[in-house]
Amino acid sequence: MNLFQSFRNLRIQHKLLAGYSAVFILCIMLGSLVVYSVVRQTLETNIESELKNTTTTILNMVRTSAATSIKNHLRAVAEKNLDIATYFHGQALAGRLTEDEARQRVAEILLSQPIGTTGYIYCIDSAGVMNVHPKQELIRADLSEYAFIREQTVRKEGYLEYDWMNPGETRARPKALYMTYFEPWDWIISVSSYREEFRELVNVEDFRESILALQFGQTGYSYIIDEQGNMVLHPQVSGNYLYAKDRNGREFIREICASKSGKITYSWENPGEHEARDKLVIFNHIPEYQWIVASSSYLDEFYAPLTTMHRLILATVLMSFIIVLPLTLTISNSITTPLKELMHHFSSGAAGNYKVRMQRRSQDEIGHLANFFNQFMERLEAYSNSLESEIRERERAEEAIRESEAKYRELVENANSIILRLSTAGEITFFNEFAQKFFGYTEQDILGRPILDTLIPAVDSTGRHLAEETQHIYTSPEKHPGFETETIRQNGERAWISWTNRAIRDDRGTLGGCLCIGNDVTAARSAELEMVRLQHYLASIIDSMPSVLVGVDRWGRVTQWNREAEKATGVSSRDARRQNLEQVYPLLQPLSGMVKEAIRERQVGQAEKVAYQTGDQLRYADIMIYPLTIETMEGAVIRVDDVTARVRMEDTMVQTEKMLSVGGLAAGMAHEINNPLSGILQSTQNIVRRLDPRLEKNSAIAARCGTDLENIRAYLEERGITRFLEGIRQSGERASTTVSDMLHFSRPSDSRMAPASIAELVDKTVALAAHDYDLRKKYDFREIEIRRDFEDGLPPVPCVATEIGQVILNLLRNASQAFGPTQPPVEAPCITLRLRRETHFLRIEVEDNGPGMDEKTRKRVFEPFFTTKDVGVGTGLGLSVSYFIVTSHHRGTMAVDSTPGQGARFTLRLPLNDTSAPADDQ
């Protein structure tokens, strides 16, 4: 500290002398040190780089020699075994061996040859299938999934390296192989072994001269040791040096063997030298041969240039000091003399003489300094003259400001709005009288308190957090000039305030606070919230209605769009509003004229059963148009009701009445047919009896007529009349059976449960289906193969036989119609009927091999009015009625399984115990 103070008290001339000398010498020394360090670093980097490159070159040289030895060895073995395969193949061609014996002999010879320690020979074919391998589990295995196998099948000959893990091993190891191709057997003969086992194939003499010829500096050299410390290659020594120590007791060979790669510095004395010298060694590892290659150089040889540079630097520093000393004295005198004159003139100016001036003698910095001094004194004189007048003006301005501030405070205090001022930290610094009355705080209570949690709550009554929004008021008021927020008075009452904010900045533009003006909008906001609540309430009522409700204005633009309208059109309420009605609801496009007329005439419009297409379904809707009667608004409300179910029900009722009438007519016709049919059968039976020779009366009457029955029967047989009579009898019996089945099926059901044989009921229903007119006109039922797979000994099932027959008939109809002409043709149409007994149920299966159905159709197949038939062909009630009969009337189950293109299977389960049936059916 005393030394620094003494330096400060020196004259400028002495300071310049000491400073220039110190800086100049210091710069030279630092520069010399940097150059010395850079040169040293460069030398070290170059020698290390040279040693690393040489070590890498030796590594590559060893590996190249080893790879060549391995490749030649494997190639020789592969070509020898190719000759063996060729020989035995020739023996097979000469007939001395069979082909299989020749292959077996060759395989035995190949597997008997060890390659290295664990290497072996294997053969694959062009498809990558293993034909010969010492591991039996790999024989005939397809190994084409491995990349090297695929490369073998492509190349077939040559050298290849890869990684392989045999069965039972835990990791893959690098291998090398040489392959030849024996085309007659499509064998790729591969001689392979692990690279780690080829160390004995490497001949050090192949590269001894090349490595020992490398020299670093004057006496540096390269050498090779193994992992046990044995000298594999060294220019001067041999043997094991694992425990060799340098002069510091360091076992450097053990460190090299442990590290395997890196660099090390140790002392070494070669044979014939008198003392040990430090040397730098760069070494690297060849893991497959367990060798370590090292390149070394002595430190004193490549640091020799640094000694010369050190002496040059010392001489340069000494010469520089001798030159700088007189030069610094001359420069310091040229500076200090003008400074003394300047100090004298400053002393005169400080005494109050503003007219003093300095003479400029040169154009250098001292001359400029004299010029600046003169300008400074001129301005100082002018400032001194104007300062007195400025002081008088400031006194008058301060008086005017005091008067203006009094008027402003009076205006703010008497305003009917909340006026407050916030600091940049959100604290209240001004609070007018109206604000004090509104919130219930005095000026002493409120000033200095933060606006958040004092006037504005942290969380308002709706649960909204206001901290971040409030912070924006006083941190960036320009971005938030106005907003509404909930406030809290001192007594806890809540009020909504509309704020207007203005930033307060100083002359430099720095934000100094925020001026906030607020007005009470609590009543207006309550009215607004009530209006919003009413709007939401009305919208909820409209959205809850099951009908489509659409409001339009006089130009046909949408003003209201309820939830059902969104479901019907897929257009959201936001997208539909203000859009033309015809664009968002195409169903109403034909009724646009009716909508305009209803608005113009103010009369209700109506359209019933308007048909429209939804996907592949035809649907119906009733549309009502109600004009708005508000004086200030013209428009209409359109209601759309889906009446598809009602229309289909009406059509079904008409069709049911028609079917009842047809059933009655069929029953009447069956009775009428049954009488003449009985006469035909009885007459046919009498004709046969009258021709029977076993009746004596027939023979007597024939004799009386001059003939005998034998001749008559011979004539009838010869002319085929007997066959005709038998055909009449069989046809009549079939017709009688059909009439009986029709009467049985058309007879009204008494809905009473009774034990019935399901097998007989199925047979009767199949017979009835064969005569069904609707089936025959769609598809010839006789061309469908009916397979019966009934379990023996099935018990009777309590059921309403006519209802179960109706269910089976419906399933047969659907299965038959699946083979109709509009479906893809089925070569051998077949319906399989299965009856099986389960624990408490009897299972009935009706399966066909038709086109089947997709998952979407399968899920809806039991829905009422769902049908895949054309309009007018089916009602969509057959399967739904069947499902109702099985599940409701008989307490059973009914399911369907189907896959497109693989037919369908309907499964019914009827309980064997009638106590599970409904009470009114028992």
Side-chain angles (χ1 to χ4, degrees):
M1 185 64 183
N2 293 331
L3 180 63
F4 180 73
Q5 185 65 34
S6 300
F7 180 79
R8 291 181 60 184
N9 295 331
L10 289 176
R11 296 173 57 186
I12 293 178
Q13 183 178 11
H14 297 161
K15 288 180 181 179
L16 290 176
L17 177 61
Y20 279 144
S21 301
V23 169
F24 191 77
I25 295 174
L26 182 62
C27 290
I28 293 178
M29 293 181 66
L30 288 176
S32 301
L33 182 61
V34 169
V35 172
Y36 181 85
S37 300
V38 171
V39 172
R40 181 185 178 91
Q41 183 65 31
T42 303
L43 288 174
E44 292 178 353
T45 302
N46 290 339
I47 192 64
E48 287 188 14
S49 176
E50 183 179 357
L51 293 176
K52 287 180 180 178
N53 293 337
T54 303
T55 303
T56 303
T57 301
I58 296 172
L59 281 175
N60 294 333
M61 185 185 305
V62 172
R63 283 177 172 153
T64 301
S65 176
T68 303
S69 300
I70 292 170
K71 181 177 179 181
N72 292 335
H73 177 74
L74 295 179
R75 179 176 181 177
V77 175
E79 291 177 350
K80 179 187 71 173
N81 285 281
L82 177 64
D83 294 338
I84 293 173
T86 303
Y87 170 76
F88 279 99
H89 178 255
Q91 293 292 314
L93 294 179
R96 298 183 184 91
L97 295 173
T98 64
E99 189 77 16
D100 292 337
E101 290 176 343
R103 290 172 182 260
Q104 183 64 29
R105 294 282 298 278
V106 173
E108 293 174 354
I109 294 173
L110 296 181
L111 297 178
S112 65
Q113 302 177 46
I115 309 299
T117 304
T118 59
Y120 50 84
I121 303 174
Y122 68 89
C123 298
I124 60 172
D125 59 20
S126 297
V129 176
M130 186 66 68
N131 290 313
V132 178
H133 195 279
K135 300 288 185 179
Q136 289 299 319
E137 56 267 29
L138 293 179
I139 301 300
R140 307 311 302 167
D142 186 358
L143 303 180
S144 58
E145 61 181 279
Y146 296 98
F148 76 92
I149 293 292
R150 293 195 297 272
E151 186 173 354
Q152 280 192 268
T153 59
V154 174
R155 291 172 51 187
K156 291 186 173 61
E157 293 184 352
Y159 181 74
L160 181 64
E161 294 183 356
Y162 62 97
D163 291 337
W164 174 252
M165 181 174 64
N166 282 315
E169 295 180 343
T170 59
R171 63 181 182 87
R173 294 181 292 164
K175 293 189 72 174
L177 67 82
Y178 194 91
M179 53 185 169
T180 59
Y181 182 55
F182 187 58
E183 185 175 2
W185 290 348
D186 189 24
W187 279 12
I188 302 175
I189 302 173
S190 305
V191 181
S192 68
S193 183
Y194 293 99
R195 291 185 58 86
E196 62 193 29
E197 299 174 0
F198 283 136
R199 183 171 53 176
E200 63 271 13
L201 297 178
V202 180
N203 187 1
V204 177
E205 300 302 325
D206 292 341
F207 45 82
R208 173 183 291 275
E209 294 183 0
S210 300
I211 294 177
L212 296 181
L214 299 174
Q215 188 172 355
F216 311 101
Q218 297 177 355
T219 58
Y221 53 85
S222 296
Y223 61 91
I224 301 175
I225 62 175
D226 60 16
E227 294 181 355
Q228 288 72 39
N230 295 309
M231 286 293 176
V232 178
L233 179 64
H234 194 281
Q236 298 173 351
V237 299
S238 62
N240 187 286
Y241 280 79
L242 181 62
Y243 299 102
K245 298 181 180 180
D246 63 1
R247 63 188 175 190
N248 298 320
R250 184 179 185 183
E251 295 180 348
F252 55 91
I253 295 295
R254 289 190 63 183
E255 292 184 20
I256 293 175
C257 293
S259 300
K260 291 185 173 56
S261 63
K263 69 177 181 179
I264 188 173
T265 302
Y266 61 89
S267 59
W268 175 257
E269 180 181 349
N270 283 314
E273 295 181 347
H274 301 290
E275 61 177 351
R277 293 183 294 164
D278 290 337
K279 65 188 308 185
L280 174 66
V281 178
I282 303 295
F283 57 95
N284 209 334
H285 185 227
I286 307 178
E288 56 264 37
Y289 309 118
Q290 299 181 357
W291 285 358
I292 298 174
V293 178
S295 298
S296 63
S297 179
Y298 289 96
L299 297 180
D300 57 353
E301 294 178 0
F302 65 81
Y303 282 151
L306 295 178
T307 303
T308 303
M309 179 176 290
H310 179 70
R311 295 170 181 171
L312 290 175
I313 290 174
L314 292 177
T316 302
V317 171
L318 181 60
M319 293 297 296
S320 299
F321 182 75
I322 295 173
I323 295 174
V324 166
L325 185 61
L327 182 63
T328 302
L329 289 174
T330 304
I331 294 174
S332 62
N333 288 329
S334 65
I335 295 174
T336 55
T337 301
L339 287 179
K340 291 178 181 178
E341 184 179 358
L342 180 62
M343 290 172 58
H344 175 71
H345 285 82
F346 266 117
S347 176
S348 299
N353 183 12
Y354 299 135
K355 298 184 180 298
V356 64
R357 300 291 186 270
M358 186 174 178
Q359 184 178 0
R360 184 173 182 178
R361 295 186 178 88
S362 64
Q363 298 297 325
D364 58 4
E365 288 79 0
I366 299 299
H368 287 294
L369 185 61
N371 187 35
F372 292 149
F373 173 79
N374 295 337
Q375 293 178 4
F376 171 74
M377 295 305 297
E378 290 174 357
R379 292 181 181 179
L380 186 62
E381 184 179 5
Y383 290 154
S384 177
N385 296 331
S386 64
L387 182 61
E388 296 180 2
S389 60
E390 184 177 349
I391 291 174
R392 290 191 294 270
E393 290 292 332
R394 183 178 293 275
E395 290 177 351
R396 289 194 295 268
E398 288 178 353
E399 182 64 25
I401 289 174
R402 283 192 293 270
E403 295 178 358
S404 176
E405 183 177 354
K407 294 179 181 179
Y408 170 75
R409 176 172 291 276
E410 181 181 2
L411 177 63
V412 170
E413 293 292 346
N414 295 326
N416 289 326
S417 297
I418 301 169
I419 301 177
L420 55 88
R421 178 173 176 174
L422 301 176
S423 68
T424 55
E427 297 176 348
I428 300 172
T429 59
F430 177 78
F431 204 62
N432 75 335
E433 185 176 352
F434 183 85
Q436 297 174 28
K437 294 178 181 179
F438 184 84
F439 288 104
Y441 291 99
T442 64
E443 190 172 22
Q444 291 76 14
D445 296 336
I446 199 71
L447 294 183
R449 295 177 62 177
I451 188 172
L452 187 66
D453 282 334
T454 302
L455 302 183
I456 299 178
V459 180
D460 65 10
S461 56
T462 63
R464 185 166 58 105
H465 292 269
L466 303 178
E468 184 177 357
E469 184 177 354
T470 304
Q471 185 181 7
H472 292 325
I473 301 174
Y474 50 82
T475 57
S476 54
E478 290 94 342
K479 297 181 180 179
H480 303 276
F483 71 102
E484 290 185 6
T485 184
E486 190 177 36
T487 60
I488 183 169
R489 302 183 182 184
Q490 189 180 25
N491 58 9
E493 294 181 358
R494 300 289 177 118
W496 280 88
I497 304 298
S498 175
W499 297 99
T500 301
N501 309 316
R502 183 175 179 273
I504 300 176
R505 297 185 180 275
D506 57 16
D507 297 339
R508 293 174 296 178
T510 303
L511 181 66
C514 173
L515 181 65
C516 302
I517 301 175
N519 293 293
D520 184 10
V521 293
T522 305
R525 184 170 181 85
S526 298
E528 181 182 352
L529 292 175
E530 179 64 20
M531 182 180 298
V532 171
R533 189 188 68 79
L534 289 175
Q535 288 177 349
H536 289 171
Y537 178 70
L538 292 175
S540 298
I541 293 176
I542 293 174
D543 287 339
S544 299
M545 297 184 68
S547 303
V548 174
L549 288 180
V550 178
V552 295
D553 58 17
R554 59 182 298 185
W555 295 282
R557 293 176 301 195
V558 175
T559 59
Q560 183 64 39
W561 192 265
N562 75 338
R563 189 174 291 113
E564 287 297 322
E566 293 180 348
K567 294 179 181 178
T569 62
V571 181
S572 66
S573 176
R574 178 180 297 178
D575 296 336
R577 291 182 184 274
R578 312 307 301 170
Q579 297 295 321
N580 191 280
L581 180 62
E582 289 82 358
Q583 295 178 354
V584 294
Y585 206 157
L587 171 62
L588 301 178
Q589 185 174 4
L591 304 178
S592 59
M594 184 183 297
V595 175
K596 295 178 181 177
E597 182 179 356
I599 296 173
R600 184 175 61 254
E601 302 295 335
R602 296 199 173 185
Q603 292 182 355
V604 177
Q606 182 177 2
E608 296 183 347
K609 298 182 181 180
V610 177
Y612 64 98
Q613 196 78 17
T614 301
D616 57 351
Q617 293 185 356
L618 182 65
R619 306 189 69 84
Y620 300 90
D622 285 350
I623 301 174
M624 298 291 294
I625 304 171
Y626 302 97
L628 292 175
T629 57
I630 304 175
E631 292 293 338
T632 58
M633 182 182 299
E634 290 186 353
V637 177
I638 304 170
R639 191 185 80 189
V640 180
D641 295 306
D642 189 351
V643 295
T644 304
R646 190 190 75 194
V647 172
R648 289 181 177 175
M649 182 63 73
E650 292 173 354
D651 294 342
T652 302
M653 292 175 64
V654 173
Q655 185 69 15
T656 302
E657 291 295 328
K658 289 166 63 177
M659 292 302 295
L660 289 175
S661 299
V662 172
L665 290 174
M669 290 176 63
H671 280 291
E672 293 299 326
I673 293 172
N674 204 25
N675 292 330
L677 188 60
S678 298
I680 293 172
L681 290 174
Q682 187 175 3
S683 297
T684 303
Q685 185 177 9
N686 287 335
I687 292 172
V688 174
R689 285 176 58 83
R690 298 291 172 89
L691 295 174
D692 191 351
R694 291 175 295 180
L695 296 177
E696 295 180 359
K697 189 176 181 180
N698 293 343
S699 299
I701 293 175
R704 192 171 56 191
C705 293
T707 183
D708 58 26
L709 288 178
E710 294 299 331
N711 291 331
I712 295 173
R713 289 183 63 84
Y715 172 78
L716 293 176
E717 291 290 343
E718 189 70 23
R719 296 294 293 169
I721 296 174
T722 305
R723 188 172 65 256
F724 294 154
L725 291 174
E726 180 62 24
I728 293 172
R729 185 188 65 79
Q730 291 178 358
S731 298
E733 288 179 354
R734 278 202 308 272
S736 177
T737 301
T738 301
V739 170
S740 176
D741 291 341
M742 290 176 62
L743 289 173
H744 176 75
F745 191 79
S746 62
R747 187 176 298 117
S749 172
D750 57 2
S751 298
R752 295 181 63 83
M753 289 283 187
S757 173
I758 298 300
E760 294 178 2
L761 183 59
V762 170
D763 288 336
K764 289 181 180 180
T765 306
V766 171
L768 181 62
H771 301 289
D772 185 71
Y773 173 74
D774 184 64
L775 285 183
R776 287 187 284 109
K777 73 178 183 179
K778 292 295 183 182
Y779 195 89
D780 192 349
F781 192 77
R782 293 170 297 180
E783 294 184 4
I784 302 175
E785 180 185 358
I786 304 296
R787 296 179 181 175
R788 293 173 173 82
D789 183 8
F790 299 167
E791 183 179 333
D792 296 334
L794 294 174
V797 178
C799 65
V800 180
T802 56
E803 292 183 352
I804 299 302
Q806 176 67 42
V807 172
I808 296 174
L809 181 60
N810 286 340
L811 296 178
L812 290 174
R813 281 183 171 178
N814 285 343
S816 301
Q817 291 170 353
F819 301 114
T822 59
Q823 301 293 341
V826 178
E827 294 183 359
C830 176
I831 298 177
T832 302
L833 302 171
R834 295 188 186 89
L835 298 179
R836 294 287 189 273
R837 178 175 181 174
E838 296 180 348
T839 305
H840 300 292
F841 293 89
L842 181 72
R843 188 174 79 248
I844 306 172
E845 293 185 1
V846 180
E847 182 176 356
D848 64 75
N849 62 344
M853 63 187 82
D854 55 25
E855 184 65 14
K856 179 180 178 182
T857 304
R858 189 193 68 79
K859 289 182 178 180
R860 300 188 58 194
V861 73
F862 294 124
E863 293 182 8
F865 307 111
F866 176 75
T867 179
T868 58
K869 304 180 182 68
D870 296 334
V871 178
V873 176
T875 63
L877 290 174
L879 288 177
S880 64
V881 171
S882 300
Y883 184 83
F884 178 77
I885 290 172
V886 173
T887 59
S888 180
H889 284 187
H890 293 79
R891 303 297 190 196
T893 61
M894 185 173 181
V896 59
D897 298 304
S898 180
T899 301
Q902 299 182 14
R905 182 177 67 250
F906 286 83
T907 303
L908 289 68
R909 287 181 172 85
L910 300 177
L912 296 175
N913 188 356
D914 59 356
T915 59
S916 62
D920 58 347
D921 289 345
Q922 295 183 3

